[in-house]
């Protein structure tokens, strides 16, 4: 059984992430979407909210599980008996960081291979940070995130504004 892990912050999940999830699910028996418990940066969406948004966006994909992890990815992969770590590559700027990360993880867990899926051209510029910025300024995010979660993101922004 080929178990793959796709780790990330998913703050929030975007169409770029979803594209990688669809493609990774096709090449693995089980795909674990591992939501990072961010310790150093403060996410816009809580862990529970990020999981809820991923659940909504991935409805219908059979062989996925959504989990959280907070320690070393290499240890988490071992614990889950995963032999693949999926990462998405957008531009050359992602490469240096991703290469270093893959090599470090390989050293810590030689059983797990990092597999890079290159972004589909239409999503190459999509990233969670811009989605957060656009949403907070009231812009249209519908080209960047799955339709099912657009209203949730808008609602979150209104909540944020009311709490200021
Ligand atoms: P972001 O960088 O958007 O905040 P994450 O930290 O959650 O996203 O990234 C998790 C993984 O998804 C990383 O491997 C990242 O390169 C990949 N990824 C993010 N956005 C895209 C995209 N538009 N196309 C392909 N891969 C992506």
């Amino acid at each position: 059984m080929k178990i793959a892990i796709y780790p990330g912050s998913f703050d929030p999940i975007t169409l770029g992430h979803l594209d990688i999830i669809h493609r990774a699910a096709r090449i693995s028996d089980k795909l674990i979407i591992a939501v990072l418990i961010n310790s150093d940066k403060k996410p816009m969406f809580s862990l529970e909210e990020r999981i809820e948004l991923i659940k909504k966006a991935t409805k219908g994909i059979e062989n996925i599980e959504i989990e959280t992890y907070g320690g070393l990815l290499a240890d988490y992969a071992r614990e889950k008996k995963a032999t693949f770590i999926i990462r998405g590559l957008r531009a050359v700027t992602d490469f240096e960081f991703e290469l270093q990360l893959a090599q470090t993880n390989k050293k810590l867990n030689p059983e797990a291979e990092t597999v890079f899926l290159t972004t589909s051209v239409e999503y190459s510029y999509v990233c969670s940070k811009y989605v957060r910025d656009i949403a907070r300024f009231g812009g249209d995010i519908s080209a960047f995130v799955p339709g099912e979660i657009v209203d949730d993101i808008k609602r979150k922004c209104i909540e944020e504004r009311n709490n200021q």
Side-chain angles (χ1 to χ4, degrees):
M1 168 124 148
K2 272 190 234 134
I3 301 175
I5 293 179
Y6 178 35
S9 306
F10 305 105
D11 185 33
I13 184 170
T14 67
L15 286 172
H17 292 133
L18 189 60
D19 174 57
I20 298 288
I21 290 170
H22 274 291
R23 289 158 58 200
R26 272 203 293 272
I27 56 169
S28 47
D29 296 311
K30 180 164 91 176
L31 176 68
I32 300 172
I33 302 171
V35 187
L36 179 66
I37 304 167
N38 309 50
S39 52
D40 47 352
K41 50 181 181 175
K42 181 157 174 19
M44 175 174 181
F45 294 89
S46 70
L47 204 54
E48 293 72 25
E49 287 168 334
R50 282 179 276 153
I51 291 170
E52 215 34 59
L53 295 179
I54 297 172
K55 266 192 201 154
K56 275 194 183 185
T58 57
K59 220 173 242 166
I61 309 176
E62 301 273 304
N63 57 332
I64 57 164
E65 283 177 13
I66 305 163
E67 294 203 358
T68 60
Y69 82 102
L72 284 176
L73 179 61
D75 291 341
Y76 178 70
R78 193 178 291 113
E79 182 196 321
K80 293 288 156 188
K81 297 187 174 31
T83 46
F84 296 110
I85 295 169
I86 305 285
R87 297 291 291 174
L89 279 183
R90 278 164 291 196
V92 74
T93 42
D94 277 342
F95 183 77
E96 206 169 328
F97 169 75
E98 292 291 346
L99 179 69
Q100 226 173 0
L101 185 66
Q103 287 169 338
T104 307
N105 283 331
K106 182 78 180 159
K107 197 78 184 165
L108 295 173
N109 179 355
E111 302 303 314
E113 290 293 342
T114 298
V115 175
F116 294 109
L117 297 183
T118 51
T119 181
S120 298
V121 274
E122 62 269 44
Y123 305 128
S124 59
Y125 58 90
V126 177
C127 72
S128 297
K129 183 181 183 324
Y130 289 155
V131 169
R132 296 195 295 272
D133 290 348
I134 296 166
R136 278 172 168 150
F137 286 110
D140 181 7
I141 52 166
S142 57
F144 309 108
V145 299
E148 297 84 346
I149 68 168
V150 170
D151 287 343
D152 297 285
I153 297 174
K154 283 187 189 162
R155 210 171 307 121
K156 178 75 183 182
C157 291
I158 294 169
E159 253 174 55
E160 270 191 352
R161 245 173 272 142
N162 290 343
N163 289 336
Q164 271 169 8

